[in-house]
């Protein structure tokens, strides 16, 4: 089995795919299966948040993809954080 570390966007009007990032993108999260992904709008900007996943062990890190900039940023947590997990909502 093979896992990939790329992110694509599908335009439902043009029926075309566009690659947003890959494993060479700056600050890209490491390859994993089963992370939680959540789209979010904050301060008039669109983001895709990623949490957790599995790469032989469960992960508990989180990252934000800034859709406008096309960049990943690792997030740091303050206070209580969820336990590492994969395949969750």
């Amino acid at each position: 089995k093979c896992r990939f570390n790329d992110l694509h966007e599908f335009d439902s009007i043009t029926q075309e795919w566009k690659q947003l990032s890959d494993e060479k993108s700056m600050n890209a999260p490491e390859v994993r299966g089963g992370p939680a992904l959540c789209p979010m709008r904050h301060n008039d900007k669109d983001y895709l948040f990623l949490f957790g996943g599995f790469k032989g062990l469960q992960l508990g890190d989180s990252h934000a993809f800034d859709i406008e900039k096309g960049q990943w940023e690792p997030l740091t947590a303050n206070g209580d954080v969820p336990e590492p997990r994969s395949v969750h909502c």
Side-chain angles (χ1 to χ4, degrees):
K1 294 183 181 182
C2 186
R3 293 188 172 123
F4 296 96
N5 199 20
D6 51 357
L7 180 64
H8 292 77
E9 171 185 330
F10 182 71
D11 186 321
S12 60
I13 295 170
T14 64
Q15 302 286 297
E16 295 178 342
W17 287 95
K18 174 183 172 186
Q19 186 169 7
L20 302 177
S21 75
D22 63 21
E23 69 279 353
K24 296 175 187 151
S25 298
M26 191 164 92
N27 293 325
E30 56 189 319
V31 176
R32 66 192 67 208
L37 296 170
C38 177
M40 184 175 189
R41 187 158 183 83
H42 178 67
N43 292 337
D44 294 324
K45 291 183 73 174
D46 294 317
Y47 296 92
L48 180 65
F49 289 94
L50 176 145
F51 171 75
F54 187 81
K55 65 161 200 157
L57 62 126
Q58 297 203 34
L59 302 170
D61 57 343
S62 56
H63 303 263
F65 184 77
D66 182 323
I67 294 174
E68 183 180 312
K69 290 182 180 178
Q71 293 182 45
W72 284 104
E73 290 297 327
L75 301 175
T76 57
N78 295 319
D80 295 334
V81 296
E83 293 291 322
R85 61 191 72 198
S86 62
V87 190
H88 61 283
C89 59

